Amino acid sequence: MKLNISKTLVGCSIALCASVLPFTAMADDYPNQDIRLIIPYGAGGPTDVIFRKIAREAEKELGVSIVPVNMSGAGATLGSRHVKDAEPDGYTILGGHDNIALSKIAGMVDYSYEAFEPVSRVTQTFNMPTTYPEHPVQDASEIPQYIEDHPGEVKFSMIPTSTDHFFWMQMFDAMGIDPADVKLISYPDTTEQMAALMAKEIDFTITNAACCASFYEDGTFRPLGVAHSERLSGSALEDIKTFHEMGVDMESATSRGIFAPKGTPQERIDILADAFETALENEELRTTLINELGSEPSFLAGQAYQDFLTENEANLTKVSKNIEF
């Protein structure tokens, strides 16, 4: 009987080792092949450009290529679902942002941040209400009075369930604006919103420096403020007042970060996080992010990033009470 038990224990040990050894071996030489970075948006947009530039620096630390793969569709859930269901081996990661939580809040998917292993936050891009040059509103603090003077006529553009949809609701709440007093006009993407603003079909849209710094500089658009506590850097941005300067207690940013499938070994999460942190220390990259893409390098990892995501989702959920999905 003892012999049988011993054989059983030996057998279990061998089986256990067989199941553990591959992970240990993989952890020791990770990464040893290219890493796919899934970007759940089309090529050329702010999210795509920002992640590609950061990945180019991070891959120098990892010693393998980070291959960006654009996987747009289904409100950015096609790409996030692909990563959520991928093998948790550290070779498929997601470049995502607040839209992960927004998709769940809107009822589009049944998962949020908890379905992933958060690797690190990399940047924050602060949002700005924007209008066309001839519009009578000069800055965001004048919007409530303009609505009062034009009841039911003022048009705000938005992509349903996106960050700009939530931004308006948050701003209306901060400024004491009743959403019933304005018109929210839906558009499929940022490009069509910008075209509508150029055509003066709407009064206001949401932009950020990542997409529109050159439009501010050449006078195509007029930024009405930045939802941040500090002014942005760059010749086209430094004169834009913050919401706090205008007496509006509100901040709003698109916070971009890296996510891995649930179950990815912690040592691989740490290796990835270290690589992205080192990448963001590159001065040339930081200058490009700040001055050309209007995005602040803002690294967070570990429990600090987890806490940020938890608070972020709670805040978005609170704002969603005023939104009909």
Side-chain angles (χ1 to χ4, degrees):
M1 185 65 180
K2 288 182 178 178
L3 181 61
N4 290 337
I5 292 175
S6 299
K7 285 183 176 178
T8 300
L9 289 174
V10 169
C12 289
S13 297
I14 292 173
L16 182 60
C17 287
S19 65
V20 170
L21 274 174
F23 280 101
T24 305
M26 285 192 296
D28 288 343
D29 61 1
Y30 174 81
N32 59 17
Q33 64 186 61
D34 292 350
I35 296 171
R36 298 171 74 235
L37 172 62
I38 306 299
I39 300 171
Y41 297 94
T47 297
D48 177 64
V49 173
I50 288 170
F51 276 121
R52 283 176 183 267
K53 289 187 178 297
I54 297 174
R56 200 169 301 155
E57 282 301 318
E59 66 184 12
K60 296 176 183 175
E61 303 301 317
L62 295 168
V64 298
S65 294
I66 298 178
V67 182
V69 178
N70 295 100
M71 196 174 289
S72 61
T77 63
L78 187 66
S80 67
R81 187 180 295 279
H82 177 84
V83 175
K84 181 180 77 69
D85 297 336
E87 189 73 20
D89 56 10
Y91 290 105
T92 302
I93 56 178
L94 174 70
H97 60 59
D98 316 71
N99 193 264
I100 295 173
L102 295 179
S103 296
K104 181 180 180 182
I105 293 169
M108 298 172 64
V109 295
D110 60 357
Y111 59 87
S112 183
Y113 300 127
E114 80 287 343
F116 301 89
E117 301 288 356
V119 175
S120 63
R121 188 179 71 184
V122 290
T123 65
Q124 289 191 294
T125 307
F126 290 90
N127 294 314
M128 290 182 275
T130 296
T131 189
Y132 51 85
E134 299 81 13
H135 199 284
V137 168
Q138 297 297 307
D139 66 46
S141 66
E142 298 177 4
I143 291 178
Q145 185 61 54
Y146 187 74
I147 293 172
E148 189 173 329
D149 293 341
H150 302 80
E153 299 178 1
V154 185
K155 299 176 182 177
F156 294 76
S157 78
M158 57 92 181
I159 304 170
T161 75
S162 71
T163 49
D164 51 55
H165 193 172
F166 280 69
F167 175 92
W168 289 132
M169 291 302 162
Q170 188 179 1
M171 193 190 84
F172 293 161
D173 183 61
M175 292 184 172
I177 297 170
D178 185 342
D181 292 338
V182 305
K183 293 182 178 178
L184 284 169
I185 311 298
S186 299
Y187 291 89
D189 54 42
T190 300
T191 301
E192 295 213 18
Q193 290 187 89
M194 292 168 65
L197 189 61
M198 288 180 185
K200 303 178 184 178
E201 295 174 359
I202 53 175
D203 292 282
F204 308 111
T205 191
I206 288 296
T207 59
N208 56 55
C211 73
C212 293
S214 61
F215 290 123
Y216 303 148
E217 196 159 17
D218 67 16
T220 301
F221 293 143
R222 181 197 299 149
L224 300 174
V226 56
H228 189 22
S229 58
E230 300 175 6
R231 292 200 181 195
L232 302 178
S233 301
S235 58
L237 308 172
E238 58 195 17
D239 291 333
I240 302 171
K241 291 181 180 178
T242 70
F243 269 31
H244 288 262
E245 288 178 81
M246 291 185 279
V248 181
D249 184 19
M250 169 186 162
E251 294 185 23
S252 173
T254 299
S255 300
R256 296 182 172 87
I258 304 296
F259 300 83
K262 200 75 175 177
T264 302
Q266 186 59 48
E267 56 266 33
R268 298 188 178 199
I269 300 292
D270 294 340
I271 289 170
L272 289 167
D274 288 346
F276 281 98
E277 182 176 24
T278 302
L280 290 174
E281 293 171 355
N282 180 283
E283 282 302 323
E284 185 177 352
L285 173 62
R286 294 179 67 86
T287 299
T288 299
L289 290 171
I290 294 170
N291 292 339
E292 295 181 19
L293 298 171
S295 299
E296 296 187 5
S298 184
F299 181 84
L300 274 183
Q303 190 59 48
Y305 188 33
Q306 185 61 65
D307 292 344
F308 168 81
L309 293 173
T310 300
E311 183 178 356
N312 176 268
E313 185 169 354
N315 290 337
L316 293 172
T317 301
K318 181 180 178 182
V319 174
S320 72
K321 294 177 181 176
N322 294 324
I323 299 177
E324 293 183 10
F325 297 110

